[in-house]
Amino acid sequence: MNDNSVAVLGSTGSIGIQTLDVIRSLGMRITLLSAKSSVEALEKQIREFLPAAAVMTDPATAEELKIRVADTGTKVYSGEDALCSCVRECDSQTVVNAVVGFAGLKPTVAAIEAGKRLALANKESLVAGGEYVIPLAKKRGVEIFPIDSEHSAIFQCMLASSDHDAEVDKIILTGSGGPFRGMKEFELRTVTPEQAVRHPNWNMGQKISVDSATLMNKGLEVIEAVRLFGVPTEKIEVVIHKESIIHSMVRFRDGAVIAQMSYPDMRLPISYALTYPSREFADYKPVDFATLGSLSFEEPDTATFKCLDYAYTALEMGGNATAVLNGANEVAVERFLKHEIGFCDIPRCVETALLGAAPTDNDLDGIIDADMQGRRIASVVKRTW
Ligand code: NAD
Ligand code: MG
């Protein structure tokens, strides 16, 4: 097994591209690349990194990619099952999962089953399947290194304590508040997908940008933190911090609050997940506190941005309610991006799904069933605005 090599899933996306930047600067090799259907981008990446294998989950585009890269040594595979097989069989100890959405769950499970080191951007794996994924990772002795900036920050703050169960009082999860911070529901009714994807501090994929605008992203991150750090929900507090300098904090039982700060740049958490315990990322802009002047904090407006509360509700409901929430949200976001429903219909889809879904078994099939129920319900909720 080659320790200086990485498999990158979702390599054509926002996190995927930044991961390749980090890999370039670290001088690592790539054994596996994957995308859904961005054939030109994946071809370019294959020609640069010459991985042994590449997977297009969309079969039609996989055929096109095969023809395009026939002159390289890279074998092209097609479909979701092939992605999981390639994850299991690739000659890398580390897998970066930067797939967006529930589609990242099976590759996460495949990486853990194969005993790989998992650098995880795909939060939906933990939101929908955490109750299955975390015990599996523990059983297999697999470490999960979060790429989500808040969870990377919490992970770094946690290093200040050797007994988390006894010493952690609060995880303070920060969020920018998104592009619509300060707006009220009557103003949100008419916002467009184009406005929603324009985030003030981060340049991200479309789905997470909409999630940031609804505050569902913060909700998903609360669930992600519960699963990753094994803390009760009451120990997690969300604070809106519009400057995105403090990426999260942990307060310990002696009152000490440890924070991780930097200008927003996903390459820092990506790099740390790849090189932990060593810190290798060097291309940063030092935080200039004098120029910054002040940092601000406020409570999230959950009366307006209801998705954050629904995440807490799903955690309280237990079972696979978080998979229902996640599936419903994915469909609602897709429908919003297609102008099929309004921005304020997104929380309505999620709420309707949480109320309407039936309990499912607590195994992988049960999680898939819960996700499907969430999707089915959210796909028929009618537009109100
Ligand atoms: P993106 O949409 O830019 O990229 C997604 C990648 O996944 C692409 O390579 C795409 O081809 C692939 N993909 C899409 N659907 C797929 C499917 N069904 N099967 C297999 N592959 C598929 O998304 P992103 O913004 O890079 O986000 C990726 C993940 O990282 C998400 O879970 C997101 O929540 C998380 N994340 C992103 C950021 C960020 O700054 N973008 C920050 C924190 C966490
Ligand atoms: Mg985040």
Side-chain angles (χ1 to χ4, degrees):
M1 196 68 65
N2 191 324
D3 267 337
N4 195 37
S5 75
V6 187
V8 185
L9 319 184
S11 60
T12 58
S14 161
I15 292 292
I17 290 169
Q18 294 179 82
T19 301
L20 299 192
D21 273 350
V22 169
I23 285 172
R24 236 178 247 116
S25 71
L26 292 172
M28 295 174 106
R29 222 167 46 86
I30 292 182
T31 56
L32 171 64
L33 290 169
S34 90
K36 183 181 181 186
S37 56
S38 326
V39 70
E40 265 173 42
L42 196 55
E43 178 188 352
K44 218 164 142 233
Q45 294 178 350
I46 289 172
R47 294 196 179 279
E48 180 182 352
F49 291 98
L50 299 172
V55 183
M56 266 300 187
T57 51
D58 174 60
T61 20
E63 286 311 307
E64 192 187 334
L65 184 70
K66 261 184 211 163
I67 297 165
R68 282 178 180 241
V69 300
D71 61 319
T72 68
T74 301
K75 282 193 109 176
V76 175
Y77 299 89
S78 145
E80 286 181 7
D81 291 345
L83 180 58
C84 293
S85 310
C86 285
V87 165
R88 282 191 214 99
E89 285 155 29
C90 70
D91 184 29
S92 291
Q93 191 45 39
T94 300
V95 174
V96 175
N97 185 352
V99 169
V100 62
F102 187 77
L105 176 61
K106 283 186 179 170
T108 285
V109 171
I112 294 171
E113 280 175 349
K116 308 281 187 188
R117 194 176 173 280
L118 182 60
L120 189 62
N122 179 264
K123 64 189 85 184
E124 295 89 347
S125 313
L126 294 181
V127 171
E131 300 271 342
Y132 177 82
V133 165
I134 297 294
L136 184 68
K138 284 206 174 118
K139 201 166 120 198
R140 299 288 159 109
V142 165
E143 281 187 283
I144 301 178
F145 297 93
I147 285 182
D148 214 347
S149 56
E150 295 76 4
H151 304 75
S152 175
I154 296 162
F155 180 85
Q156 294 175 60
C157 298
M158 289 285 200
L159 297 175
S161 150
S162 56
D163 184 352
H164 299 164
D165 287 347
E167 294 183 355
V168 172
D169 258 2
K170 217 49 160 212
I171 287 179
I172 304 156
L173 195 68
T174 55
S176 68
F180 305 140
R181 184 179 48 84
M183 284 168 73
K184 291 292 170 200
E185 188 169 338
F186 72 94
E187 299 166 279
L188 292 174
R189 285 172 191 162
T190 51
V191 298
T192 62
E194 294 69 30
Q195 291 169 303
V197 298
R198 228 175 290 134
H199 195 279
N201 304 347
W202 300 94
N203 188 3
M204 311 179 285
Q206 286 204 320
K207 194 248 171 190
I208 186 175
S209 297
V210 176
D211 285 347
S212 300
T214 58
L215 284 203
M216 180 54 97
N217 185 49
K218 232 18 80 182
L220 300 179
E221 290 182 351
V222 168
I223 302 170
E224 186 185 6
V226 165
R227 302 268 155 80
L228 271 176
F229 303 107
V231 293
T233 311
E234 317 79 75
K235 284 199 176 183
I236 303 184
E237 178 184 323
V238 172
V239 171
I240 301 300
H241 164 54
K242 68 176 188 294
E243 295 84 4
S244 297
I245 296 291
I246 296 182
H247 299 299
S248 279
M249 308 179 245
V250 178
R251 193 180 75 226
F252 295 97
R253 69 174 173 198
D254 58 357
V257 178
I258 310 277
Q260 187 258 319
M261 302 188 218
S262 57
Y263 285 119
D265 185 340
M266 288 308 296
R267 294 174 307 160
L268 166 55
I270 292 168
S271 181
Y272 195 58
L274 289 178
T275 64
Y276 172 85
S278 171
R279 291 182 176 273
E280 304 289 340
F281 184 62
D283 187 23
Y284 67 90
K285 183 174 157 214
V287 178
D288 179 352
F289 288 98
T291 312
L292 264 180
S294 61
L295 298 177
S296 65
F297 305 94
E298 60 187 78
E299 257 184 59
D301 175 4
T302 50
T304 306
F305 297 92
K306 300 189 175 77
C307 285
L308 176 56
D309 269 356
Y310 294 148
Y312 281 98
T313 307
L315 276 169
E316 268 168 39
M317 287 169 74
N320 290 325
T322 55
V324 173
L325 168 115
N326 185 67
N329 179 59
E330 280 188 31
V331 166
V333 170
E334 273 168 31
R335 293 184 67 201
F336 170 66
L337 286 169
K338 287 194 273 185
H339 298 264
E340 244 178 68
I341 57 172
F343 186 79
C344 295
D345 295 324
I346 298 175
R348 285 184 51 250
C349 286
V350 172
E351 185 189 23
T352 312
L354 283 178
L355 289 171
T360 59
D361 292 341
N362 199 14
D363 55 13
L364 201 50
D365 286 341
I367 292 164
I368 294 168
D369 183 2
D371 168 76
M372 284 305 297
Q373 291 194 52
R375 285 170 192 274
R376 224 177 293 127
I377 296 171
S379 66
V380 294
V381 169
K382 296 236 165 26
R383 180 187 192 113
T384 45
W385 300 102

